[in-house]
Amino acid sequence: MTTPTTYLDWNATAPTEPAAIAAMADAAAHWANPSSVHAGGRSARAALEAARRSVAGNLGVAADSIIFTSGATEALALALNQCRLKGRLVSAVEHDAVRANAGERSRVLGVDDDGVIDLAALDLILGECPEPALVAVMHANNETGVVQPLAAVAERVRAAGGALLADCVQTAGKLDLPDADFIAVSAHKLGGPPGVGALIARRLDLLHAAREGGGHERGYRAGTENLAGIAGFAAALAARADRGWLVQAARLRDRLEAGVRAIASDIAIAGAGADRLPTTSAIRLPGVPAATQLIALDLDGVCVSAGAACSSGRVRASHVLGAMGWNEAAAGETIRVSLGWTTGEDDIDRFLASYGRIARRRRSAA
Ligand code: PLP
């Protein structure tokens, strides 16, 4: 595998922290099943519970609210499929992991042109809901970085007898977690390995037990725990507990956005008027398909995404930009640039140099 020189695709996955790799290797020594009663099993159980306490401490949640899963996709599916509340209401900009599990009868909550939840529409829909609902609104969007007003959402949802499910995949380790009833997080976005995540369930009373399996995770999630992966998750969170890098990331993001505006005055940045994560820019260059931009940047050793990365490598029209009123053509000319803790000035320089060449070719082709 070639090592990318300028990696600006952190929202897809973050590089694995050396401390996480070491913790995974160490945990592999506890290879016994944490459910076994013999000494090896007890030692594996102790390592698992130590990792749970460490994740809880670093995320600021109660250890007994954590249900480890195979990632955020499973955590979101678990909440949506095992929550006793009958109604389902999901925002129009949720990740496919939510959309795929919301059910046919779910209602969709729109966003404004900046991608922010329409609170008046939420009031209206909650008032019309015949039964209390599980409401899924993500903390920050993976394509645009737009941060949702979750305190206001939670207040309204609870007043209507419902519960809030917050997808915090892009904010865990960057922002304080919101006051939500269920929270989904993923290890590989914060320096841990892929294939591990958690549902933080503050309302366990609202969850059915898992239908099948051997009663793991207090019966809510079946399957032998991925101890090495969970140890890597805990170590990554601990290693990146200092969020000081976000100040530098915000400055670099501002420099990047000012740079692309100077290169092409007709570019558009999705959600520019909203509160956004300091690590994400979704940038449209009119007249140049995202795939063309991606390939040109890749040839220059710069890694970015077109909207959301998708498992098949296919570039699809973005439902997120569509919900914000962007037509398919505009969404199809948009790339996502995302920054992380190792991003430096030279990465922004390289991106801007390559982007400038793309914009110049556009001008000469016109
Ligand atoms: N939710 C958001 C906002 C994401 O960005 C992702 C990953 O791309 C997921 C959910 C799914 O996470 P995982 O890869 O852990 O299943």
Side-chain angles (χ1 to χ4, degrees), residues 54-350:
S54 172
V55 168
N58 280 301
L59 289 178
V61 301
D64 62 4
S65 68
I66 294 179
I67 301 169
F68 284 120
T69 62
S70 64
T73 298
E74 188 194 341
L76 292 162
L78 194 166
L80 286 157
N81 295 324
Q82 290 173 222
C83 180
R84 293 175 198 279
L85 298 176
K86 295 262 186 310
R88 295 287 179 270
L89 174 56
V90 305
S91 95
V93 294
E94 293 303 298
H95 190 272
D96 280 347
V98 168
R99 287 158 30 103
N101 286 288
E104 279 169 16
R105 290 175 48 234
S106 63
R107 296 194 58 179
V108 177
L109 179 61
V111 295
D112 67 15
D113 289 355
D114 270 320
V116 180
I117 290 301
D118 182 342
L119 290 174
L122 174 63
D123 285 338
L124 214 68
I125 299 180
L126 286 172
E128 286 168 9
C129 272
E131 52 215 349
L134 179 64
V135 180
V137 180
M138 68 203 318
H139 197 189
N141 186 267
N142 46 306
E143 295 186 37
T144 61
V146 169
V147 177
Q148 299 296 346
L150 287 192
V153 174
E155 193 184 319
R156 287 164 162 79
V157 169
R158 288 182 186 139
L164 175 63
L165 166 62
D167 175 344
C168 295
V169 167
Q170 298 295 343
T171 54
K174 297 186 188 114
L175 306 181
D176 289 344
L177 292 183
D179 174 21
D181 303 294
F182 300 98
I183 288 174
V185 294
S186 173
H188 73 106
K189 310 288 182 174
L190 46 80
V196 189
L199 179 70
I200 295 152
R202 291 180 170 133
R203 293 290 312 271
L204 270 177
D205 59 303
L206 290 179
L207 286 187
H208 287 294
R211 268 198 196 89
E212 291 137 6
H216 303 86
E217 295 298 277
R218 282 164 299 145
Y220 294 105
R221 192 268 179 177
T224 304
E225 298 86 352
N226 172 3
L227 181 52
I230 290 167
F233 180 11
L237 265 174
R240 301 250 54 99
D242 181 351
R243 301 189 207 153
W245 64 273
L246 284 159
V247 176
Q248 150 103 334
R251 201 178 50 71
L252 291 174
R253 190 273 316 262
D254 290 348
R255 219 195 107 204
L256 178 129
E257 293 188 353
V260 292
R261 284 190 200 285
I263 287 168
S265 56
D266 60 343
I267 64 127
I269 294 174
D275 181 18
R276 279 183 299 149
L277 276 179
T279 47
T280 310
S281 295
I283 308 166
R284 176 190 177 202
L285 182 60
V288 188
T292 307
Q293 298 180 53
L294 235 60
I295 292 164
L297 286 159
D298 192 34
L299 287 172
D300 286 339
V302 181
C303 306
V304 301
S305 277
C310 117
S311 55
S312 60
R314 222 162 19 107
V315 177
R316 262 182 313 164
S318 157
H319 71 275
V320 174
L321 297 175
M324 294 164 68
W326 291 36
N327 62 32
E328 218 170 287
E333 296 166 345
T334 303
I335 60 166
R336 176 186 71 187
V337 186
S338 50
L339 289 63
W341 50 85
T342 64
T343 307
E345 302 284 356
D346 51 336
D347 294 314
I348 306 304
D349 291 343
R350 263 189 102 183

